[in-house]
Amino acid sequence: MSLPVLLTQHIARRPQRIALLQHVAEQGSITRAAKAAGISYKAAWDAIDELNNLAELPLVVRSTGGRGGGGARLSEAGERVLRLYQRLHALQAEFLEAAEHSGDLDLLGRLMLRTSARNQLQGQICGLRREGRYDRISLTLSGGLEIAALITEDSTERLGLTLGATVVALLKAGWVQLLAADAAPDPQSNCLEATIEALLAASQGPTEVKLLLGNRQTLCAFAEADWLHAQGLQAGSTVRVQFHPSLVLLGVPA
């Protein structure tokens, strides 16, 4: 099975994140891999979650109770990605030598912008319907989950969106709303069931909630600590989340 185009492009643009996979393979734990990479444990898992969301299968398999906060190893897909990174790394020097002007590299850097959106979900377009001034784009995620985005007709044409095309849905963490157990979801919004993977309290402001979807892709949301306590939500709890299709941004390979 070949690697998805979007994941392959991510490897080329973010090699430091793929290099983290090599540390996981060598160290056997996320804690030690993060230390070897010179980043925090949270940053390491954020990077791995982002890669897993773009991949067809999880790249890292973790277990609890191991040394240094639990063991971790690369899956077969992760090993394949790592081999690809190593080949790309070998070509990097040749690419740099081919640049005719230093300004060319600066331009490429500006064209390959990173995004502030915490949530990035890869999917395929399974539906495209005109609704007034907007197009409703239905996306099938891995595992059969489905979400929708509302974008302008101009955006649909500019991105060249067609049925079956692979895209990345971008969603800010602040746009993901956790629902109370007795709350009815907004019928116009996307609604997904997830498991709370971790609650990361901040000294000020809301708590960061890391969510695991049924297809093993992840989402990040924010919620007030008092509300979470009142709802009895903690790591391992099942919760529903919703976000309106108009908040879903779509990206395609340049």
Side-chain angles (χ1 to χ4, degrees):
M1 180 186 301
S2 61
L3 292 172
V5 172
L6 288 169
L7 178 59
T8 304
Q9 292 190 343
H10 188 90
I11 293 171
R13 299 171 185 177
R14 305 289 298 281
Q16 69 277 18
R17 291 204 161 184
I18 308 299
L20 179 62
L21 297 181
Q22 184 167 347
H23 291 301
V24 171
E26 294 171 348
Q27 302 295 332
S29 85
I30 300 301
T31 300
R32 293 195 293 272
K35 184 177 181 180
I39 60 177
S40 68
Y41 178 85
K42 180 180 181 300
W45 262 121
D46 284 347
I48 290 171
D49 282 341
E50 182 177 334
L51 292 170
N52 283 344
N53 285 348
L54 293 176
E56 295 177 353
L57 297 170
L59 305 183
V60 175
V61 179
R62 54 183 147 178
S63 59
T64 58
R67 292 180 55 196
R73 63 176 178 81
L74 298 188
S75 65
E76 181 179 342
E79 292 175 349
R80 191 166 64 249
V81 169
L82 180 57
R83 288 195 297 270
L84 175 58
Y85 163 74
Q86 290 169 337
R87 290 198 293 270
L88 288 174
H89 186 69
L91 293 172
Q92 185 178 31
E94 180 180 344
F95 166 76
L96 292 176
E97 290 176 1
E100 298 179 5
H101 191 279
S102 60
D104 296 339
L105 297 179
D106 293 335
L107 174 58
L108 284 177
R110 292 193 296 273
L111 295 177
M112 297 176 179
L113 294 177
R114 296 171 62 179
T115 173
S116 62
R118 292 291 301 276
N119 299 309
Q120 302 182 34
L121 303 173
Q122 179 176 279
Q124 283 191 313
I125 298 177
C126 62
L128 203 166
R129 185 175 74 240
R130 183 65 43 78
E131 293 185 358
R133 296 175 54 198
Y134 297 93
D135 288 343
R136 177 176 290 270
I137 312 296
S138 298
L139 304 177
T140 299
L141 309 179
S142 65
L145 295 182
E146 188 172 317
I147 63 173
L150 279 178
I151 63 175
T152 63
E153 177 183 356
D154 177 69
S155 294
T156 300
E157 294 178 355
R158 180 166 48 83
L159 295 175
L161 301 183
T162 58
L163 290 176
T166 297
V167 299
V168 171
L170 305 172
L171 185 67
K172 282 193 163 186
W175 296 342
V176 180
Q177 178 188 5
L178 276 67
L179 295 176
D182 58 352
D186 176 7
Q188 302 300 319
S189 292
N190 295 296
C191 186
L192 299 172
E193 187 173 282
T195 300
I196 296 179
E197 191 172 30
L199 297 174
L200 307 175
S203 56
Q204 293 183 339
T207 296
E208 181 179 332
V209 184
K210 297 197 70 173
L211 301 159
L212 185 65
L213 300 176
N215 63 357
R216 310 306 294 177
Q217 288 183 316
T218 59
L219 284 177
C220 178
F222 291 109
E224 296 296 334
D226 291 345
W227 184 88
L228 292 168
H229 178 74
Q231 294 297 317
L233 296 176
Q234 57 187 346
S237 297
T238 299
V239 66
R240 292 170 302 154
V241 300
Q242 69 177 17
F243 47 92
H244 196 271
S246 62
L247 300 176
V248 180
L249 308 178
L250 299 182
V252 298

